[in-house]
Amino acid sequence: QVQLVQSGAEVKKPGASVKVSCKASGYTFTSYDINWVRQATGQGLEWMGWMNPNSGNTGYAQKFQGRVTMTRNTSISTAYMELSSLRSEDTAVYYCARGQGDFWSGYYPDYWGQGTLVTVSS
Amino acid sequence: SYELTQPPSVSVSPGQTARITCSGDALPKKYAYWYQQKSGQAPVLVIYEDSKRPSGIPERFSGSSSGTMATLTISGAQVEDEADYYCYSTDSSGNHRAPCVFGTGTKVTVL
């Protein structure tokens, strides 16, 4: 069965960076994109971007351009999301999710990781 | 930037029908998808491509889309359906690098 297992909770100071991992199993890692979505406490879901594990190509939401980097290590079927210049507003649960389909005919996250809480506090 | 608008809350009595709407300018051209998120859990896909139901999702969940509005219907709502629901879709403006967006979310209360 498809599983996405994320790394544990992080506490960071303002201005620092955080790197969250997402290990995939139960399917061919390089055949599907990995998306990243975050959710601040009591708030809605916010899509951050996607990465193609086969090519390494990425696409980031405009809000995160310049601060987010999505990468992968295909040898261990693991995707990473690094967010830099952290501020208190970045405190949220960060989810990875497998991307299904394509942007022209229909594209959506189907399977989700369990989420990683990132707390930014001085 | 592209936006999908949902009502903040919907209340329904057990056994009755709940309808959640999602409004977006690109919906005539793009599919809508719906996610259920219970407190403290990751989202779960309940409807894809406007009206299709993934395996394991109860038949009481259905979806439709017409013009700029998509609708998620819960027929015969159960107490366990109490959750936040989010629509999701993609932009049709030509932003092929980062076109994805979630709706504002709707809290469904069953009481």
Side-chain angles (χ1 to χ4, degrees):
Chain A
Q1 73 281 22
V2 174
Q3 277 196 310
L4 298 171
V5 178
Q6 299 182 222
S7 48
E10 303 263 12
V11 179
K12 296 292 182 181
K13 293 194 182 303
S17 298
V18 67
K19 191 171 186 177
V20 179
S21 69
C22 171
K23 183 171 177 60
S25 62
Y27 71 99
T28 302
F29 178 62
T30 51
S31 294
Y32 297 84
D33 292 350
I34 292 290
N35 287 233
W36 289 89
V37 178
R38 77 177 186 179
Q39 184 173 39
T41 303
Q43 302 301 307
L45 300 172
E46 183 173 31
W47 185 81
M48 299 179 68
W50 60 271
M51 181 207 58
N52 182 306
N54 185 46
S55 64
N57 288 344
T58 56
Y60 305 139
Q62 187 171 8
K63 176 176 180 176
F64 301 101
Q65 290 270 4
R67 279 211 304 146
V68 70
T69 305
M70 297 177 187
T71 58
R72 86 291 191 207
N73 183 334
T74 56
S75 67
I76 56 172
S77 299
T78 299
Y80 304 92
M81 186 283 299
E82 184 170 20
L83 189 63
S84 62
S85 302
L86 291 169
R87 34 206 188 234
S88 58
E89 310 90 89
D90 294 317
T91 295
V93 175
Y94 289 76
Y95 293 100
C96 64
R98 193 180 76 164
Q100 179 73 251
D102 62 74
F103 291 145
W104 291 267
S105 55
Y107 182 86
Y108 61 102
D110 54 4
Y111 292 92
W112 294 63
Q114 83 277 18
T116 296
L117 176 62
V118 174
T119 302
V120 183
S121 175
S122 55
Chain B
S1 62
Y2 186 47
E3 294 181 351
L4 295 172
T5 303
Q6 301 178 231
S9 63
V10 167
S11 293
V12 62
S13 300
Q16 299 303 300
T17 296
R19 293 182 179 85
I20 306 161
T21 57
C22 172
S23 177
D25 289 341
L27 291 179
K29 300 179 183 178
K30 296 294 185 180
Y31 287 125
Y33 303 80
W34 291 92
Y35 295 86
Q36 176 193 67
Q37 187 181 33
K38 296 184 178 180
S39 181
Q41 298 182 19
V44 172
L45 182 71
V46 294
I47 293 290
Y48 68 102
E49 293 180 0
D50 290 345
S51 59
K52 298 178 182 177
R53 204 171 42 250
S55 61
I57 300 301
E59 291 183 7
R60 63 181 180 272
F61 290 91
S62 63
S64 63
S65 187
S66 178
T68 59
M69 186 166 289
T71 302
L72 173 70
T73 301
I74 310 173
S75 303
Q78 307 293 308
V79 172
E80 60 264 31
D81 299 331
E82 189 161 289
D84 294 324
Y85 290 83
Y86 294 91
C87 62
Y88 161 95
S89 188
T90 53
D91 193 357
S92 65
S93 67
N95 177 9
H96 298 306
R97 296 292 297 180
C100 308
V101 65
F102 285 94
T104 49
T106 299
K107 181 173 183 60
V108 171
T109 303
V110 182
L111 47 68

